[in-house]
Amino acid sequence: VIQCQAVVRRFLALKRIVTLRFNRYDKAALIIQTNFRRHSAEVSFIFQISDILLCQAVARQFLALKRVRHTRYIKAALIIQKNYRRHRAMVDFLYQVSDIILCQAVARRLLALKRVRAMSMRNGKAATIIQTSFRGYKAMVDFSFQVMDIILCQTIVRRFLAMKHTKQLRKRKCATKIQANWRRYLESNRIVLENKAASVIQTCFRGYQGFILFVVA
């Protein structure tokens, strides 16, 4: 009986041990599956977050580049409009000055002719001297107009060449350097034109003043 009890108890103990082992194996498998799934989920989540951040960075970079290009185009358009308007105003001013000088020359010529005719009846030599002075003055005025026309043509040609050169350089992404050179060129050209115009006006005025003094004398 004792041996039977021992055998039965041993069998039951072995059965319990086997059952406990299977239960431990199941728990260990569950823990391993849980940890593996959690690790897989974390890795997938990290990759998804990385992909989302990368997409956001690319999209933001594209939008930033688009805004920068749009801003550059607007600034370039504004600079071109400003330079064109300034050039147009300068050309209009030159035309106005040329018209005023022409009107003054015509009026002075008429007055001079009138005075010459009046003085030719008195003294032929005085008329000859007046004619010589007037022809010299007329030649000087014509030369001044020719110089102004040449300067105007040079300005237009240089502007056309500069605009053509600017278009080529824009394709090579050198708008900044072109704008700087263009501003410097316009400034120097404006100074030269102002100096030449001032010299021409002073020369005409001095010639006219000398002529008046000579006529009065």
Side-chain angles (χ1 to χ4, degrees):
V1 174
I2 294 169
Q3 288 182 354
C4 291
Q5 288 179 352
V7 171
V8 171
R9 288 174 182 172
R10 183 179 178 184
F11 177 75
L12 293 174
L14 289 173
K15 188 176 181 180
R16 287 180 182 177
I17 290 170
V18 172
T19 304
L20 289 174
R21 284 181 181 178
F22 279 112
N23 290 330
R24 287 180 182 178
Y25 290 157
D26 292 336
K27 289 181 180 180
L30 290 173
I31 292 170
I32 292 169
Q33 289 178 357
T34 302
N35 292 324
F36 178 76
R37 289 173 181 173
R38 182 175 62 187
H39 176 71
S40 178
E42 288 178 354
V43 172
S44 299
F45 178 73
I46 290 170
F47 278 114
Q48 289 176 2
I49 293 295
S50 299
D51 294 335
I52 292 169
L53 292 175
L54 182 62
C55 293
Q56 287 179 352
V58 172
R60 289 172 182 170
Q61 185 179 5
F62 175 75
L63 293 175
L65 289 173
K66 188 175 181 181
R67 289 178 183 174
V68 170
R69 289 177 182 174
H70 183 66
T71 305
R72 286 181 180 175
Y73 289 154
I74 292 173
K75 288 183 179 179
L78 291 174
I79 292 170
I80 292 169
Q81 288 178 358
K82 181 175 71 175
N83 291 325
Y84 175 73
R85 290 171 182 171
R86 181 170 60 185
H87 175 73
R88 185 176 179 181
M90 183 177 66
V91 172
D92 293 336
F93 175 74
L94 290 175
Y95 276 119
Q96 291 177 0
V97 171
S98 300
D99 294 335
I100 292 170
I101 293 172
L102 182 62
C103 293
Q104 289 179 352
V106 172
R108 289 170 183 171
R109 182 180 179 185
L110 292 175
L111 293 174
L113 287 173
K114 188 175 181 180
R115 291 177 182 176
V116 167
R117 288 175 182 174
M119 293 179 67
S120 63
M121 296 175 67
R122 298 178 182 177
N123 194 353
K125 292 182 179 181
T128 304
I129 293 171
I130 292 171
Q131 288 178 356
T132 303
S133 300
F134 181 76
R135 288 172 183 172
Y137 172 73
K138 183 180 178 182
M140 182 177 63
V141 172
D142 293 333
F143 177 74
S144 299
F145 277 114
Q146 290 176 0
V147 170
M148 292 180 69
D149 293 333
I150 291 170
I151 292 172
L152 183 62
C153 293
Q154 287 178 352
T155 303
I156 293 171
V157 172
R158 288 172 182 172
R159 179 175 176 272
F160 174 76
L161 293 176
M163 290 180 67
K164 186 176 179 181
H165 189 58
T166 302
K167 290 180 180 179
Q168 293 177 355
L169 290 177
R170 276 185 191 165
K171 294 179 180 179
R172 300 174 186 175
K173 298 181 181 179
C174 295
T176 305
K177 292 182 180 179
I178 294 171
Q179 290 172 1
N181 293 325
W182 178 249
R183 290 174 183 170
R184 184 174 61 190
Y185 167 71
L186 289 178
E187 187 66 21
S188 61
N189 194 13
R190 183 179 65 81
I191 294 171
V192 171
L193 288 176
E194 288 179 356
N195 292 330
K196 289 185 178 180
S199 299
V200 172
I201 292 170
Q202 288 177 357
T203 304
C204 295
F205 182 76
R206 289 172 182 171
Y208 175 73
Q209 189 175 8
F211 175 74
I212 295 299
L213 292 174
F214 176 78
V215 171
V216 172

